[in-house]
Amino acid sequence: MTSPDFLFTLLGVGALGAAVLPRLVARRPLSMPLVFLVCGMALQLLSVPLPEIDPVSDRVWVEHVTEICVIVSLMGAGLALNRPFGRRHWQGTWRQLGVTMPLSIAAMGLLAWWVLGWPPAAALLLAAVLAPTDPVLASEVRVGAPTDSEHDEDEVRFTLTSEAGLNDGLALPFVLGAGALAAAAASGGWSAGGIAHWVLLDVVYRCAVGVLAGLAVGALLGWLFFRAGWRVMRLSEHREGFVAIGATFLAYGVTELMHGYGFVAVFVTACRIRSAERAHGYHMVLHDFVEQVERLLTAVLLFLLGVFVAQGGLASLTWQGAVVGLLLLFVVRPLTGWVAQFRTAAGPRERAVIAFFGIRGIGSLFYLAYALGSHGFGVPAGELWAVVTLTVLASVVLHGVTASPVISRLDLLRLHRARASGAGPDPDEDEVASKRL
């Protein structure tokens, strides 16, 4: 049995490690999540007394802990983006959402049905669960802290960050569609009314509520933060970072109460707050606090994932399941991501990097736990968890090792190109970010 005192010790060491590791692994082929993942596996293999991790029997707490981590990371992503919202400025993002995501879901669903022999509902569930991307697990490929400039974000970091901010919510209609398909199969078949219900409720209504609620809550909070006439209510004057957590939970809770997509609402709320007063230093306070909470939650979850893997979490994995997961990372995402980025602002090298870094992470764990609480899908839950866990594990290792050298190389090439174009020996960030590779 695990001693509570030992758990307190682990939490203390983990919190300190989450503070120190990002600087220790900076510019190295490592990432903080990868280190915590390996530590969890190592401690379990060394027979250190750790709690048993079973996402099937402990589904409820897995769902809610991962849910909190995802919404906090979405708030952080939205607060960090400097680029104004728009059709042209976000062209790469729209392509990833409108082309890469549906093509990936279709390809993964067909692979799960053909290679694994799973029923359609389970195949669609796996595809939908693995659809969201998560650049939190490789911080080099996401935008940094908010700045005054609207043009200092390079195309790679901006596209990957904004894509992850929105596709976490947009995967939910497909997860719900998989549940509806499972229910229809159990009751005798799908009907035109069932399809219409899914389209109107799960796709149109819930997405619209997510966007509108996010805009409304973001506008209200933007006014409260920066423009409230009563100074004691103007929260930017007090520079309290925990307010960002309040904004996160408010946007998420209100939207879910209206049966909208809370993930979409949180990201939209963050972008709306960011646009309310772009040059204000309070954005840095909010962002820094959210990033610290996000880092701590990510460290805990990746450590537990490592423990789960070392305890035999992949015991139900078949070679076919491993092939399907790896095909997503090495074939499906790179091909669909590359196709989607044609004729966008990104250059050829940037398109390749955007296509490759489709990182899978905490969002996939949440969606699987969420879906398994409502329906049976004709496949053992342990096998579903094994395929998803392997994919996340492989993504953390692959992208965690490659992110720093790849992004550093792109940054260096942009710097050389800016200098060659006459910007001088020390070009500013806007000039460097604007160079296409």
Side-chain angles (χ1 to χ4, degrees), residues 105-182:
I105 290 174
M108 286 299 294
L110 288 172
L111 284 171
W113 173 70
W114 178 51
V115 177
L116 294 172
W118 286 1
L124 178 58
L125 176 66
L126 181 68
V129 161
L130 292 175
T133 56
D134 189 355
V136 170
L137 298 185
S139 58
E140 292 83 359
V141 302
R142 63 174 179 172
V143 299
T147 66
D148 294 344
S149 174
E150 298 179 353
H151 308 289
D152 65 349
E153 296 163 340
D154 64 81
E155 201 63 30
V156 171
R157 288 184 174 92
F158 175 81
T159 300
L160 289 173
T161 303
S162 54
E163 175 196 8
L166 286 168
N167 69 12
D168 264 315
L170 296 180
L172 192 50
F174 298 98
V175 174
L176 295 174
L181 192 59

Side-chain angles (χ1 to χ4, degrees), residues 11 34 56 114 143 174 202 211 218 229 250 259 261 304 331 333 335 345 381 400 405 428:
L11 284 171
L34 177 56
V56 177
W114 178 51
V143 299
F174 298 98
D202 295 335
V211 172
L250 176 64
H259 303 290
Y261 291 141
L304 293 176
V331 179
R333 164 67 190 208
L335 283 179
D428 61 34

Side-chain angles (χ1 to χ4, degrees), residues 21-23 25-28 30-34 134-145 157 160-161 291 294-295 298 357 359 399-400 403-404 407 411:
L21 276 172
R23 284 172 284 277
V25 302
R27 301 294 178 178
R28 291 181 174 86
L30 283 173
S31 67
M32 185 200 76
L34 177 56
D134 189 355
V136 170
L137 298 185
S139 58
E140 292 83 359
V141 302
R142 63 174 179 172
V143 299
R157 288 184 174 92
L160 289 173
T161 303
E291 185 180 40
E294 170 195 303
R295 196 188 305 167
T298 301
F357 282 101
I359 304 165
H399 298 121
S404 185
I407 298 299
D411 289 342

